C-alpha cells in the first residue's frame, strides 16, 4: 500500500519544515517577527509529527530498504543555512513556501486515502494538520508581500 | 480650594443608577489669578490623556494661564484631572521652547532661518526620490497632533511622496485597540459610550489602571461605585492599583495574572461562559460567525489550568466569570496592560468575544471601551497618517483605493496599497539598514518611548538616515536630528481632535506661538509647496491652507464610511459640547453608541480589513473573506496561549513591566514643566514586591540596578504593591530633566525588547526578564507618588501633595445631547 509511503513522506517533510523554520528564524533573528513567528510555526509542524506517531504505529512507516517501492527523489531537503540581507530573507521565505507546499499537497493526498479507507483518526490528523499548513503558507505569503518592495527596490 | 495632587479625583458627586452624572466645574489659574482677572476664555479640549475633556483656555496679557472644564460637555461634565489642570499651559511659557529652526553643521545643531532648514529637507527629499524613489522616505508621527495635520500628512505621504512607510506613536499606544475592532467588527470605531457607566451592573477593567491614566473617567465610575446601588468592579492587573482596591470594595474580583499570560486568562473566562451556559444562543446564531471554533479553542483552559499558567486562584477566575455571565449589563474597558503585553490583539479580541457571546453590545449599559493612550490617536487612525488608509478604507480593496485616488485626483498606484502599510518598528528597521534615507518625526519622542533605547539612539544618531524632527522642545529625539523645526503647540493653533469615545472637539487658537515657531499644519504645507506635489490635472495636490479648509476636505473623504463626519463643521463644533461621530443627516447630533442594530461593518465590500490569523498575523484574502459571507455579522476569533518571548530564568529571574503614573504624561514634555506635577513625581523609580525586596536585601529608597539582556538602569526602589516576581518601572523619564541636570541611566526602555504583536504590530513593553541588585543605601524614600498604585508598603513615607490651589464647584447639571438618562425614561432603554 503506497499510503504507507506517503505517511513516511509527510513525516519526513513536516520534520524538515520544522527544522527549516527554526533555521530561518534564528538566521534572521534581527527581524524579531521572523524569529518568533518561525518558532511558532515550527512548533505547529512539531505537533503534526507528534500526532503522526500513533498513525505510524498502526500503518508502519516505510523507510529506505530493499523491499521498499519508493519513487525516486521523494524527499525534499530543508534549509541548512540562511542567506543574508533583505533579499536573502525573501529567498529563504520562498524556500520555506516551497517546502510548505510539498507538505500541504502531501496532506491533501493522505486525506483522500483516509476517506477511501474510512479511517477517521487519520482523517482528523490530516485535516487538522493540513489546515495548519495553510496557516503557515498564509504567513509566508503575507511576510513576503510586505518585504518584497523594500528588498527589491531600495535595499542596499 | 483643593490640592488636586493630594486629592487626584476631587470630591464625590454620587448618584443613582440610570441618572445623569452631575456636573462639577474644575479650574486652575496660574499665579493665583482669579477668574474675573482673565481677559478671554478660548474653547478647546484637554490634550493630556485620551479622555478628551472639554475645557476653556484662560488667556491673560496674551499668555495662556490656565484651564476651566466645560460643564456642558458630554465627556467630562465640567471636570478636569490633575494633568489637565496643572499641565495644560505652563510648558508654553517655558524658556527652553524652540523658537527658530536648527540644522546640523559640523556635528552641532545651530540656529538658522526657515528657508535654510526647509531647503535642506527638500534637497535631501528630492535627491532620494530621484535616486531611490518613494520607498526611501519614512514618516513617524504622533498621537498628539490635530486631525487636520494628520490629514495633510496622510495626503503628503500617500499621494505626494507615495510611501507606505507612515506610522505614529499611536503604534505604541493604540494600535491594538484599532486592530481588535477590525478583527471582530470589520472596522475601527469605539462601540460603547461613557454613558454606559451610568447603567451597567458590572465594569471589567482589563490591564487598565483608569484611576491614573484617565482620571476624569474614573471620577465618573467612582460617582457610581460610591452610590447606594453601585456596579461591581472586576480588575485584571499585576499591581494593586486603585482600580483593584475598588474591585475589592464593591465585592468584585482583582485578578493579578503573571505578566504575559493575559490570553490564558481570557480563554479561561470564555470557557466558563460556555460551560455554564451564559450564552445568548439565538443572538450568537444571528449576529456572529465562528462560535464552534471558539468553543474548541478554549476547551483546554479549565480554571485549574488557567490558575497554573497565570498564578491565580481558580475560584477567583470562576467568580469573575460568574459576574460577567450573570450581570444584566456589563461594561468592559481595556488598555496598555493588554495592548503592550504578550498576545495583545488576541487578548483584546477575547474581550469582544465575551460581549458577543452574551449579546452585550450596542445597548445602553453594555459597552466596550478599547481605550487609547494618546489624546488624538483616534484621528491618526481615521486620517491614515499611520498604518491605516484614510477614512477607515481597506488598503486591500481596489475599489476603496480608487475612491481615495478619485478624491485626491491621483493615479491609484501612487497610493501604496500593494502590501500592509509599514509598521513603526519596521520603519525604524529600514532606517537602521539605511534603505529609508529620510525619516521625518513629528511631535513625538521615540528616543525615550520606543523599546530598546540604545538601538533607537543608534538609528537616529547614525549617518545612514537623515532625520527631521518637528517639536516644541529640543527633546532627546530632536537632539539626534539633522534638522529641527520649531512647532506651535496646543492653544497656539486651531484644529479638531477626537477622543476615545468618538467625540470630536474643536480646539481654537488662544495665543501666538513663540518666535518663528509654526503650526504643524503650516510646516507640512510648507514642505508640500516646496516639493511642488501635483495632482493628475497639474494642479497643486493640496489646494487648501487653513485648518478649517483641511477639515472640510477631510469630511468629504468620510462620506459613506463608518467614520462619518459629514454632519460636522467648525461652526457646529463651536456649540456647547463635543459631538460623537457618526454625525450625518440621520444623526445630526451624533451617535452615543455603535451597533444598536447589531449590524457590524463586516461586509466584504465595506469592511476596513479582511482580517488576520491572530497567532501569526497572516492576512485573510478577499476570496476567503467573501466565502465566509460575514454580511454584517461579527467575528468570534481565538488563539491559543503561548508563553512570552522572554521568560524569566537563572540569569534574569524577574519579570519586567513598564507603565505610567498619574502625574506624568508620555515623556513629560508638558507635565515635567508643571511644578505641581513634577514635584509629585520628579524622578524615575522601580517598584518591587515586599517578598522580592526582602529576598534581595532591598528596602524603601535604596538605589538599585535593574538589568535585562539589552540594558540597565540605576534608580531608587519603591517597595510596594506590584505582584511578587515582577518589577514595574514608569516609562516617562528620559535624560532630560527640568532642573537642567543630565539624567542618563534611568530610562525604562533601556531594558525592553524589540518584539511586537503579530496583528496590531504594537511593541511589547511588558514582557521582558530582568534582575535587580542593590547598589547602595538610599537617603530617603523613592520619588514615587504615594497616592495611587505606586504607594509604599512601608509606613512613614510622606504623602504626596503640595499641588497649587484649584477650584472645584458643583453646578446645575445641564441637558446633554444623546444622554440616555435625559432622553429615555429612567431605568429604560
Amino acid at each position: 500500500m503506497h499510503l504507507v509511503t506517503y505517511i513516511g513522506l509527510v513525516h519526513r517533510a513536516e520534520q524538515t519544515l520544522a527544522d527549516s523554520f527554526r533555521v530561518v528564524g534564528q538566521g534572521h533573528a534581527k527581524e524579531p517577527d521572523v524569529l518568533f513567528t518561525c518558532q511558532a510555526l515550527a512548533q505547529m509542524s512539531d505537533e503534526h509529527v507528534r500526532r503522526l506517531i500513533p498513525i505510524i504505529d498502526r500503518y508502519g512507516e516505510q523507510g529506505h530498504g530493499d523491499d521498499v517501492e519508493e519513487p525516486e527523489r521523494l524527499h525534499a531537503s530543508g534549509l541548512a543555512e540562511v542567506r543574508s540581507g533583505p533579499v536573502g530573507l525573501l529567498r529563504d521565505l520562498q524556500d520555506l513556501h516551497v517546502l510548505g507546499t510539498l507538505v500541504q499537497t502531501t496532506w491533501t493526498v493522505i486525506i483522500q486515502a483516509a476517506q477511501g479507507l474510512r479511517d477517521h483518526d487519520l482523517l482528523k490528523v490530516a485535516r487538522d494538520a493540513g489546515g495548519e499548513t495553510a496557516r503557515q503558507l498564509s504567513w509566508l505569503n503575507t511576510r513576503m508581500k510586505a518585504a518584497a518592495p523594500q528588498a527589491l527596490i531600495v535595499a542596499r | 480650594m483643593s490640592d488636586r495632587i493630594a486629592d487626584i479625583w476631587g470630591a464625590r458627586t454620587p448618584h443613582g443608577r440610570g441618572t445623569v452624572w452631575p456636573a462639577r466645574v474644575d479650574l486652575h489659574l496660574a499665579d493665583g489669578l482669579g477668574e474675573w482677572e482673565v481677559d478671554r476664555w478660548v474653547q478647546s479640549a484637554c490634550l493630556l490623556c485620551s479622555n478628551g475633556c472639554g475645557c476653556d483656555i484662560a488667556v491673560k496679557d496674551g499668555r495662556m494661564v490656565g484651564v476651566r472644564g466645560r460643564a456642558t460637555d458630554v465627556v467630562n461634565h465640567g471636570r478636569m484631572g490633575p494633568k489637565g489642570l496643572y499641565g495644560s499651559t505652563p510648558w508654553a511659557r517655558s524658556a527652553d521652547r524652540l523658537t527658530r529652526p536648527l540644522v546640523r553643521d559640523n556635528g552641532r545643531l545651530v540656529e538658522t532661518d526657515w528657508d535654510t532648514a526647509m531647503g535642506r529637507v527638500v534637497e535631501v527629499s528630492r535627491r532620494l526620490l530621484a535616486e531611490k524613489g518613494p520607498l526611501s522616505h519614512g514618516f513617524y508621527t504622533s498621537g498628539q497632533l490635530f486631525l487636520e495635520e494628520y490629514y495633510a500628512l496622510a495626503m503628503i505621504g500617500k499621494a505626494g511622496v507615495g510611501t507606505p512607510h507612515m506610522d505614529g506613536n499611536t503604534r505604541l499606544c493604540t494600535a491594538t485597540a484599532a486592530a481588535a475592532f477590525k478583527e471582530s467588527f470589520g472596522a475601527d470605531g469605539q462601540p460603547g459610550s461613557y454613558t454606559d457607566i451610568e447603567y451597567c451592573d458590572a465594569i471589567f477593567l482589563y490591564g487598565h489602571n483608569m484611576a491614573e491614566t484617565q482620571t476624569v473617567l474614573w471620577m465618573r465610575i467612582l460617582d457610581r461605585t460610591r452610590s447606594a446601588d453601585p456596579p461591581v468592579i472586576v480588575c485584571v492587573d499585576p499591581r494593586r492599583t486603585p482600580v483593584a482596591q475598588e474591585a475589592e470594595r464593591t465585592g468584585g474580583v482583582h485578578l493579578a495574572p503573571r505578566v504575559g499570560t493575559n490570553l490564558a486568562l481570557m480563554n479561561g473566562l470564555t470557557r466558563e461562559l460556555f460551560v455554564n451556559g451564559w450564552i445568548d444562543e439565538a443572538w450568537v446564531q444571528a449576529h456572529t460567525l465562528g462560535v464552534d471554533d471558539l468553543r474548541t479553542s478554549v476547551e483546554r483552559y479549565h480554571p485549574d489550568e488557567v490558575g497554573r499558567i497565570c498564578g491565580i486562584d481558580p475560584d477567583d477566575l470562576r467568580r469573575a466569570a460568574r459576574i460577567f455571565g450573570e450581570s444584566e449589563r456589563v461594561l468592559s474597558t481595556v488598555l496598555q496592560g493588554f495592548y503592550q503585553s504578550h498576545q495583545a490583539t488576541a487578548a483584546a479580541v477575547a474581550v469582544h468575544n465575551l460581549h458577543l457571546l452574551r449579546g452585550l453590545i450596542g445597548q445602553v449599559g453594555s459597552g466596550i471601551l478599547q481605550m487609547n493612550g494618546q489624546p488624538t490617536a483616534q484621528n491618526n487612525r481615521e486620517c491614515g497618517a499611520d498604518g491605516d488608509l484614510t477614512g477607515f478604507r481597506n488598503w486591500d480593496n481596489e475599489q476603496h483605493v480608487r475612491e481615495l485616488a478619485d478624491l485626491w485626483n491621483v493615479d491609484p498606484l501612487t497610493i501604496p496599497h500593494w502590501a500592509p502599510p509599514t509598521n513603526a518598528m519596521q520603519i525604524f528597521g529600514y532606517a537602521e539598514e539605511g534603505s529609508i534615507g529620510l525619516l521625518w518625526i513629528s511631535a513625538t519622542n521615540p528616543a525615550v518611548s520606543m523599546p530598546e533605547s540604545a538601538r533607537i539612539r543608534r538609528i537616529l544618531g547614525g549617518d545612514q538616515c537623515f532625520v527631521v524632527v518637528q517639536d516644541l522642545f529640543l527633546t532627546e529625539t530632536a537632539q539626534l536630528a539633522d534638522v529641527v523645526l520649531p512647532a506651535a503647540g496646543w492653544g497656539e493653533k486651531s484644529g479638531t481632535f477626537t477622543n476615545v469615545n468618538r467625540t470630536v472637539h474643536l480646539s481654537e487658537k488662544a495665543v501666538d506661538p513663540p518666535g518663528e515657531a509654526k503650526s504643524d499644519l503650516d510646516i507640512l504645507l510648507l514642505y508640500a509647496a516646496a516639493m511642488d506635489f501635483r495632482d493628475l490635472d497639474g494642479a497643486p495636490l493640496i489646494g487648501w491652507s487653513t485648518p478649517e479648509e483641511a477639515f472640510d476636505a477631510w469630511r468629504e473623504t468620510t462620506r459613506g464610511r463608518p467614520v462619518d463626519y459629514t454632519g460636522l463643521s467648525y461652526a457646529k463644533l463651536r456649540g456647547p459640547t463635543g459631538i460623537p461621530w457618526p454625525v450625518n443627516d440621520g444623526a445630526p447630533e451624533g451617535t452615543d453608541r455603535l451597533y444598536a442594530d447589531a449590524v457590524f461593518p463586516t461586509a466584504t465590500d465595506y469592511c476596513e480589513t479582511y482580517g488576520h490569523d491572530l497567532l501569526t498575523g497572516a492576512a485573510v484574502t478577499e476570496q476567503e473573506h467573501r466565502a465566509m459571507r460575514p454580511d454584517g455579522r461579527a467575528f468570534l476569533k481565538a488563539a491559543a496561549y503561548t508563553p512570552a518571548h522572554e521568560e524569566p530564568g537563572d540569569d534574569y529571574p524577574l519579570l519586567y513591566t513598564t507603565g505610567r503614573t498619574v502625574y506624568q504624561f508620555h515623556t513629560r514634555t508638558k507635565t515635567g514643566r508643571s511644578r505641581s506635577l513634577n514635584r509629585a513625581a520628579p524622578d524615575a523609580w522601580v517598584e518591587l514586591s515586599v517578598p522580592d525586596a526582602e529576598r534581595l536585601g532591598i528596602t524603601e529608597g535604596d538605589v538599585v540596578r535593574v538589568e535585562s539582556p539589552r540594558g540597565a538602569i540605576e534608580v531608587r526602589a519603591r517597595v510596594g504593591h506590584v505582584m511578587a516576581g515582577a518589577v514595574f518601572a514608569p516609562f516617562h523619564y528620559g535624560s532630560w530633566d527640568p532642573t537642567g541636570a543630565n539624567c542618563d541611566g534611568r530610562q525604562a526602555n533601556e531594558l525592553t525588547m524589540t518584539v511586537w504583536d503579530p496583528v496590531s504590530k504594537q511593541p511589547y513593553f511588558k514582557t521582558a526578564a530582568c534582575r535587580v541588585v542593590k547598589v547602595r543605601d538610599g537617603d530617603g524614600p523613592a520619588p514615587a507618588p504615594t497616592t495611587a498604585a505606586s504607594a509604599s508598603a512601608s509606613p512613614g513615607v510622606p504623602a504626596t501633595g503640595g499641588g497649587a490651589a484649584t477650584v472645584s464647584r458643583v453646578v446645575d447639571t445641564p441637558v446633554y445631547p444623546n444622554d440616555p438618562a435625559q432622553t429615555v425614561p429612567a431605568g429604560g432603554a
Side-chain angles (χ1 to χ4, degrees), chain B residues 516-548:
Chain B
E516 297 173 27
K518 289 179 189 294
S519 78
D520 295 279
L521 181 65
D522 286 345
I523 295 172
L524 294 168
L525 294 180
L526 197 64
Y527 169 71
M531 293 296 288
D532 198 27
F533 295 126
R534 299 272 162 174
D535 69 10
L536 281 174
D537 296 326
L541 175 69
I542 298 178
W544 32 264
S545 58
T546 68
E548 186 164 6

Side-chain angles (χ1 to χ4, degrees), chain A residues 30-34 36-37 39-41 43-44 85-86 134-143 145-151 153-156, chain B residues 132-133 135-136 165 395-396 418-420 426 430 432-436 455 464 613-619 624 642 645 753-756 758 761:
Chain A
K30 269 188 73 181
E31 310 282 340
D33 66 322
V34 172
F36 294 121
T37 314
Q39 285 175 352
L41 298 181
Q43 283 167 12
M44 276 186 190
R135 293 172 72 186
Q136 293 171 322
L137 291 171
S138 290
W139 178 76
L140 288 166
N141 214 37
T142 299
R143 192 61 180 81
K145 281 178 77 173
Q150 201 73 7
I153 300 173
V154 277
R156 288 176 176 177
Chain B
K132 296 162 86 177
L135 297 177
S136 59
H165 307 322
W395 59 266
D396 214 3
W418 48 74
Q426 188 68 61
Y430 288 153
E432 183 174 30
E433 71 185 31
S435 71
I436 286 180
R455 171 172 175 263
Q464 84 294 350
D613 184 324
L614 296 187
L615 184 73
T616 65
E624 289 165 344
T642 60
H645 301 117
M753 65 191 300
T754 302
V755 56
W756 57 84
K761 318 293 188 203

Side-chain angles (χ1 to χ4, degrees), chain B residues 126-148:
Chain B
R126 282 185 185 281
R127 177 170 53 75
L128 283 170
L129 286 178
E131 286 172 7
K132 296 162 86 177
L135 297 177
S136 59
H137 282 50
F139 293 92
Y140 183 67
T141 188
S142 171
Q144 303 187 44
L145 294 182
F146 287 152
L147 178 150
E148 294 77 1

